[in-house]
PDB file of all heavy atoms in Angstrom:
ATOM      1  N   ASP A  29      12.036 -16.565 -21.065  1.00 93.00           N
ATOM      2  CA  ASP A  29      12.576 -16.702 -22.416  1.00 93.00           C
ATOM      3  C   ASP A  29      13.045 -15.363 -22.975  1.00 93.00           C
ATOM      4  O   ASP A  29      13.125 -15.191 -24.203  1.00 93.00           O
ATOM      5  CB  ASP A  29      11.571 -17.341 -23.374  1.00 93.00           C
ATOM      6  CG  ASP A  29      11.466 -18.830 -23.157  1.00 93.00           C
ATOM      7  OD1 ASP A  29      12.466 -19.432 -22.719  1.00 93.00           O
ATOM      8  OD2 ASP A  29      10.380 -19.387 -23.406  1.00 93.00           O
ATOM      9  N   LYS A  30      13.326 -14.417 -22.115  1.00 92.00           N
ATOM     10  CA  LYS A  30      13.854 -13.100 -22.499  1.00 92.00           C
ATOM     11  C   LYS A  30      15.109 -12.819 -21.677  1.00 92.00           C
ATOM     12  O   LYS A  30      15.310 -13.423 -20.617  1.00 92.00           O
ATOM     13  CB  LYS A  30      12.812 -12.014 -22.252  1.00 92.00           C
ATOM     14  CG  LYS A  30      11.549 -12.153 -23.105  1.00 92.00           C
ATOM     15  CD  LYS A  30      10.577 -11.010 -22.783  1.00 92.00           C
ATOM     16  CE  LYS A  30       9.310 -11.153 -23.624  1.00 92.00           C
ATOM     17  NZ  LYS A  30       8.328 -10.068 -23.321  1.00 92.00           N
ATOM     18  N   PRO A  31      15.972 -11.904 -22.131  1.00 93.00           N
ATOM     19  CA  PRO A  31      17.167 -11.559 -21.359  1.00 93.00           C
ATOM     20  C   PRO A  31      16.778 -11.075 -19.944  1.00 93.00           C
ATOM     21  O   PRO A  31      15.730 -10.416 -19.774  1.00 93.00           O
ATOM     22  CB  PRO A  31      17.814 -10.448 -22.153  1.00 93.00           C
ATOM     23  CG  PRO A  31      17.347 -10.660 -23.563  1.00 93.00           C
ATOM     24  CD  PRO A  31      15.947 -11.176 -23.443  1.00 93.00           C
ATOM     25  N   PHE A  32      17.586 -11.417 -18.962  1.00 95.00           N
ATOM     26  CA  PHE A  32      17.339 -10.953 -17.602  1.00 95.00           C
ATOM     27  C   PHE A  32      17.221  -9.422 -17.547  1.00 95.00           C
ATOM     28  O   PHE A  32      16.363  -8.890 -16.861  1.00 95.00           O
ATOM     29  CB  PHE A  32      18.497 -11.384 -16.667  1.00 95.00           C
ATOM     30  CG  PHE A  32      18.429 -12.787 -16.180  1.00 95.00           C
ATOM     31  CD1 PHE A  32      19.188 -13.787 -16.790  1.00 95.00           C
ATOM     32  CD2 PHE A  32      17.613 -13.133 -15.104  1.00 95.00           C
ATOM     33  CE1 PHE A  32      19.150 -15.093 -16.310  1.00 95.00           C
ATOM     34  CE2 PHE A  32      17.576 -14.421 -14.630  1.00 95.00           C
ATOM     35  CZ  PHE A  32      18.346 -15.419 -15.216  1.00 95.00           C
ATOM     36  N   GLY A  33      18.118  -8.722 -18.237  1.00 94.00           N
ATOM     37  CA  GLY A  33      18.115  -7.289 -18.194  1.00 94.00           C
ATOM     38  C   GLY A  33      18.285  -6.779 -16.776  1.00 94.00           C
ATOM     39  O   GLY A  33      19.061  -7.320 -15.988  1.00 94.00           O
ATOM     40  N   ALA A  34      17.498  -5.782 -16.403  1.00 94.00           N
ATOM     41  CA  ALA A  34      17.600  -5.172 -15.081  1.00 94.00           C
ATOM     42  C   ALA A  34      17.138  -6.099 -13.967  1.00 94.00           C
ATOM     43  O   ALA A  34      17.374  -5.842 -12.792  1.00 94.00           O
ATOM     44  CB  ALA A  34      16.827  -3.873 -15.039  1.00 94.00           C
ATOM     45  N   SER A  35      16.462  -7.209 -14.309  1.00 95.00           N
ATOM     46  CA  SER A  35      15.978  -8.146 -13.303  1.00 95.00           C
ATOM     47  C   SER A  35      17.056  -9.109 -12.848  1.00 95.00           C
ATOM     48  O   SER A  35      16.807  -9.920 -11.911  1.00 95.00           O
ATOM     49  CB  SER A  35      14.759  -8.936 -13.810  1.00 95.00           C
ATOM     50  OG  SER A  35      15.161  -9.861 -14.826  1.00 95.00           O
ATOM     51  N   PHE A  36      18.227  -9.080 -13.466  1.00 97.00           N
ATOM     52  CA  PHE A  36      19.297  -9.990 -13.053  1.00 97.00           C
ATOM     53  C   PHE A  36      19.622  -9.697 -11.587  1.00 97.00           C
ATOM     54  O   PHE A  36      19.810  -8.545 -11.172  1.00 97.00           O
ATOM     55  CB  PHE A  36      20.534  -9.788 -13.909  1.00 97.00           C
ATOM     56  CG  PHE A  36      21.634 -10.797 -13.634  1.00 97.00           C
ATOM     57  CD1 PHE A  36      21.477 -12.121 -14.026  1.00 97.00           C
ATOM     58  CD2 PHE A  36      22.800 -10.406 -13.006  1.00 97.00           C
ATOM     59  CE1 PHE A  36      22.461 -13.060 -13.761  1.00 97.00           C
ATOM     60  CE2 PHE A  36      23.803 -11.331 -12.737  1.00 97.00           C
ATOM     61  CZ  PHE A  36      23.632 -12.663 -13.118  1.00 97.00           C
ATOM     62  N   PRO A  37      19.729 -10.753 -10.757  1.00 97.00           N
ATOM     63  CA  PRO A  37      19.936 -10.547  -9.322  1.00 97.00           C
ATOM     64  C   PRO A  37      21.239  -9.816  -9.006  1.00 97.00           C
ATOM     65  O   PRO A  37      22.236  -9.922  -9.744  1.00 97.00           O
ATOM     66  CB  PRO A  37      19.973 -11.983  -8.758  1.00 97.00           C
ATOM     67  CG  PRO A  37      19.306 -12.813  -9.767  1.00 97.00           C
ATOM     68  CD  PRO A  37      19.592 -12.178 -11.097  1.00 97.00           C
ATOM     69  N   ALA A  38      21.214  -9.055  -7.908  1.00 98.00           N
ATOM     70  CA  ALA A  38      22.428  -8.370  -7.452  1.00 98.00           C
ATOM     71  C   ALA A  38      23.466  -9.384  -7.036  1.00 98.00           C
ATOM     72  O   ALA A  38      23.173 -10.330  -6.299  1.00 98.00           O
ATOM     73  CB  ALA A  38      22.092  -7.426  -6.309  1.00 98.00           C
ATOM     74  N   ILE A  39      24.699  -9.194  -7.502  1.00 98.00           N
ATOM     75  CA  ILE A  39      25.786 -10.113  -7.194  1.00 98.00           C
ATOM     76  C   ILE A  39      26.901  -9.377  -6.507  1.00 98.00           C
ATOM     77  O   ILE A  39      26.970  -8.146  -6.500  1.00 98.00           O
ATOM     78  CB  ILE A  39      26.301 -10.806  -8.469  1.00 98.00           C
ATOM     79  CG1 ILE A  39      26.794  -9.755  -9.489  1.00 98.00           C
ATOM     80  CG2 ILE A  39      25.254 -11.722  -9.082  1.00 98.00           C
ATOM     81  CD1 ILE A  39      27.463 -10.350 -10.698  1.00 98.00           C
ATOM     82  N   THR A  40      27.812 -10.154  -5.909  1.00 98.00           N
ATOM     83  CA  THR A  40      28.994  -9.595  -5.254  1.00 98.00           C
ATOM     84  C   THR A  40      30.254 -10.272  -5.778  1.00 98.00           C
ATOM     85  O   THR A  40      30.184 -11.252  -6.504  1.00 98.00           O
ATOM     86  CB  THR A  40      28.930  -9.808  -3.717  1.00 98.00           C
ATOM     87  OG1 THR A  40      29.062 -11.228  -3.446  1.00 98.00           O
ATOM     88  CG2 THR A  40      27.606  -9.300  -3.141  1.00 98.00           C
ATOM     89  N   ILE A  41      31.393  -9.763  -5.372  1.00 98.00           N
ATOM     90  CA  ILE A  41      32.671 -10.385  -5.744  1.00 98.00           C
ATOM     91  C   ILE A  41      32.718 -11.800  -5.223  1.00 98.00           C
ATOM     92  O   ILE A  41      33.233 -12.708  -5.883  1.00 98.00           O
ATOM     93  CB  ILE A  41      33.860  -9.566  -5.201  1.00 98.00           C
ATOM     94  CG1 ILE A  41      33.760  -8.085  -5.624  1.00 98.00           C
ATOM     95  CG2 ILE A  41      35.178 -10.158  -5.686  1.00 98.00           C
ATOM     96  CD1 ILE A  41      33.706  -7.852  -7.099  1.00 98.00           C
ATOM     97  N   ARG A  42      32.173 -12.019  -4.039  1.00 98.00           N
ATOM     98  CA  ARG A  42      32.213 -13.359  -3.451  1.00 98.00           C
ATOM     99  C   ARG A  42      31.374 -14.343  -4.276  1.00 98.00           C
ATOM    100  O   ARG A  42      31.733 -15.520  -4.362  1.00 98.00           O
ATOM    101  CB  ARG A  42      31.717 -13.292  -2.005  1.00 98.00           C
ATOM    102  CG  ARG A  42      32.629 -12.464  -1.115  1.00 98.00           C
ATOM    103  CD  ARG A  42      32.096 -12.247   0.272  1.00 98.00           C
ATOM    104  NE  ARG A  42      32.858 -11.201   0.971  1.00 98.00           N
ATOM    105  CZ  ARG A  42      32.586 -10.782   2.173  1.00 98.00           C
ATOM    106  NH1 ARG A  42      31.566 -11.290   2.868  1.00 98.00           N
ATOM    107  NH2 ARG A  42      33.319  -9.802   2.734  1.00 98.00           N
ATOM    108  N   ASP A  43      30.306 -13.880  -4.888  1.00 98.00           N
ATOM    109  CA  ASP A  43      29.523 -14.750  -5.785  1.00 98.00           C
ATOM    110  C   ASP A  43      30.367 -15.145  -7.000  1.00 98.00           C
ATOM    111  O   ASP A  43      30.291 -16.292  -7.468  1.00 98.00           O
ATOM    112  CB  ASP A  43      28.262 -14.026  -6.250  1.00 98.00           C
ATOM    113  CG  ASP A  43      27.288 -13.789  -5.119  1.00 98.00           C
ATOM    114  OD1 ASP A  43      27.186 -14.641  -4.224  1.00 98.00           O
ATOM    115  OD2 ASP A  43      26.626 -12.734  -5.124  1.00 98.00           O
ATOM    116  N   MET A  44      31.144 -14.196  -7.517  1.00 98.00           N
ATOM    117  CA  MET A  44      32.008 -14.482  -8.645  1.00 98.00           C
ATOM    118  C   MET A  44      33.000 -15.586  -8.277  1.00 98.00           C
ATOM    119  O   MET A  44      33.257 -16.533  -9.042  1.00 98.00           O
ATOM    120  CB  MET A  44      32.766 -13.245  -9.075  1.00 98.00           C
ATOM    121  CG  MET A  44      31.901 -12.109  -9.573  1.00 98.00           C
ATOM    122  SD  MET A  44      32.873 -10.617  -9.940  1.00 98.00           S
ATOM    123  CE  MET A  44      31.574  -9.459 -10.352  1.00 98.00           C
ATOM    124  N   VAL A  45      33.582 -15.469  -7.075  1.00 98.00           N
ATOM    125  CA  VAL A  45      34.575 -16.454  -6.641  1.00 98.00           C
ATOM    126  C   VAL A  45      33.903 -17.810  -6.400  1.00 98.00           C
ATOM    127  O   VAL A  45      34.482 -18.852  -6.715  1.00 98.00           O
ATOM    128  CB  VAL A  45      35.308 -15.936  -5.386  1.00 98.00           C
ATOM    129  CG1 VAL A  45      36.196 -17.024  -4.794  1.00 98.00           C
ATOM    130  CG2 VAL A  45      36.132 -14.706  -5.729  1.00 98.00           C
ATOM    131  N   ARG A  46      32.697 -17.813  -5.836  1.00 98.00           N
ATOM    132  CA  ARG A  46      32.007 -19.086  -5.645  1.00 98.00           C
ATOM    133  C   ARG A  46      31.748 -19.796  -6.981  1.00 98.00           C
ATOM    134  O   ARG A  46      31.843 -21.021  -7.070  1.00 98.00           O
ATOM    135  CB  ARG A  46      30.675 -18.862  -4.919  1.00 98.00           C
ATOM    136  CG  ARG A  46      30.823 -18.531  -3.440  1.00 98.00           C
ATOM    137  CD  ARG A  46      29.465 -18.572  -2.725  1.00 98.00           C
ATOM    138  NE  ARG A  46      29.624 -18.143  -1.322  1.00 98.00           N
ATOM    139  CZ  ARG A  46      29.451 -16.887  -0.916  1.00 98.00           C
ATOM    140  NH1 ARG A  46      29.103 -15.944  -1.768  1.00 98.00           N
ATOM    141  NH2 ARG A  46      29.623 -16.597   0.355  1.00 98.00           N
ATOM    142  N   SER A  47      31.420 -19.030  -7.995  1.00 98.00           N
ATOM    143  CA  SER A  47      31.195 -19.670  -9.303  1.00 98.00           C
ATOM    144  C   SER A  47      32.516 -20.209  -9.868  1.00 98.00           C
ATOM    145  O   SER A  47      32.542 -21.267 -10.519  1.00 98.00           O
ATOM    146  CB  SER A  47      30.550 -18.676 -10.272  1.00 98.00           C
ATOM    147  OG  SER A  47      31.448 -17.632 -10.619  1.00 98.00           O
ATOM    148  N   GLN A  48      33.611 -19.506  -9.614  1.00 98.00           N
ATOM    149  CA  GLN A  48      34.940 -19.988 -10.035  1.00 98.00           C
ATOM    150  C   GLN A  48      35.286 -21.259  -9.268  1.00 98.00           C
ATOM    151  O   GLN A  48      35.929 -22.179  -9.831  1.00 98.00           O
ATOM    152  CB  GLN A  48      35.989 -18.928  -9.817  1.00 98.00           C
ATOM    153  CG  GLN A  48      35.884 -17.735 -10.749  1.00 98.00           C
ATOM    154  CD  GLN A  48      36.786 -16.584 -10.345  1.00 98.00           C
ATOM    155  OE1 GLN A  48      37.168 -16.445  -9.176  1.00 98.00           O
ATOM    156  NE2 GLN A  48      37.140 -15.743 -11.299  1.00 98.00           N
ATOM    157  N   TYR A  49      34.924 -21.304  -8.018  1.00 98.00           N
ATOM    158  CA  TYR A  49      35.173 -22.531  -7.202  1.00 98.00           C
ATOM    159  C   TYR A  49      34.446 -23.727  -7.832  1.00 98.00           C
ATOM    160  O   TYR A  49      35.008 -24.826  -7.908  1.00 98.00           O
ATOM    161  CB  TYR A  49      34.699 -22.328  -5.762  1.00 98.00           C
ATOM    162  CG  TYR A  49      34.681 -23.589  -4.966  1.00 98.00           C
ATOM    163  CD1 TYR A  49      35.858 -24.128  -4.423  1.00 98.00           C
ATOM    164  CD2 TYR A  49      33.489 -24.267  -4.732  1.00 98.00           C
ATOM    165  CE1 TYR A  49      35.827 -25.305  -3.690  1.00 98.00           C
ATOM    166  CE2 TYR A  49      33.452 -25.449  -4.000  1.00 98.00           C
ATOM    167  CZ  TYR A  49      34.629 -25.956  -3.481  1.00 98.00           C
ATOM    168  OH  TYR A  49      34.607 -27.123  -2.755  1.00 98.00           O
ATOM    169  N   GLU A  50      33.212 -23.513  -8.293  1.00 98.00           N
ATOM    170  CA  GLU A  50      32.467 -24.601  -8.930  1.00 98.00           C
ATOM    171  C   GLU A  50      33.186 -25.075 -10.195  1.00 98.00           C
ATOM    172  O   GLU A  50      33.265 -26.277 -10.450  1.00 98.00           O
ATOM    173  CB  GLU A  50      31.045 -24.117  -9.288  1.00 98.00           C
ATOM    174  CG  GLU A  50      30.172 -23.790  -8.085  1.00 98.00           C
ATOM    175  CD  GLU A  50      29.755 -25.027  -7.317  1.00 98.00           C
ATOM    176  OE1 GLU A  50      29.792 -26.145  -7.886  1.00 98.00           O
ATOM    177  OE2 GLU A  50      29.374 -24.869  -6.132  1.00 98.00           O
ATOM    178  N   LEU A  51      33.728 -24.123 -10.944  1.00 98.00           N
ATOM    179  CA  LEU A  51      34.503 -24.489 -12.137  1.00 98.00           C
ATOM    180  C   LEU A  51      35.761 -25.246 -11.741  1.00 98.00           C
ATOM    181  O   LEU A  51      36.110 -26.249 -12.382  1.00 98.00           O
ATOM    182  CB  LEU A  51      34.878 -23.230 -12.918  1.00 98.00           C
ATOM    183  CG  LEU A  51      35.774 -23.423 -14.142  1.00 98.00           C
ATOM    184  CD1 LEU A  51      35.096 -24.284 -15.204  1.00 98.00           C
ATOM    185  CD2 LEU A  51      36.188 -22.074 -14.725  1.00 98.00           C
ATOM    186  N   MET A  52      36.409 -24.790 -10.726  1.00 98.00           N
ATOM    187  CA  MET A  52      37.621 -25.464 -10.216  1.00 98.00           C
ATOM    188  C   MET A  52      37.343 -26.928  -9.886  1.00 98.00           C
ATOM    189  O   MET A  52      38.121 -27.815 -10.246  1.00 98.00           O
ATOM    190  CB  MET A  52      38.135 -24.729  -8.973  1.00 98.00           C
ATOM    191  CG  MET A  52      39.333 -25.339  -8.301  1.00 98.00           C
ATOM    192  SD  MET A  52      39.658 -24.560  -6.708  1.00 98.00           S
ATOM    193  CE  MET A  52      41.291 -25.206  -6.323  1.00 98.00           C
TER     194      MET A  52
END
C-alpha cells in the first residue's frame, strides 16, 4: 500500500513493447 519506489522491478524496452501488445 505504498509506492514501489526503488523496489519497482527492473524493466527493459521489450517489456514496454509487451505491455503495448496487451493494449493492442
Side-chain angles (χ1 to χ4, degrees):
D29 284 331
K30 296 180 180 179
F32 279 100
S35 70
F36 186 71
I39 58 174
T40 68
I41 306 302
R42 296 173 193 178
D43 294 324
M44 297 175 185
V45 173
R46 286 190 185 94
S47 68
Q48 290 170 335
Y49 169 79
E50 295 289 339
L51 175 64
M52 177 189 192

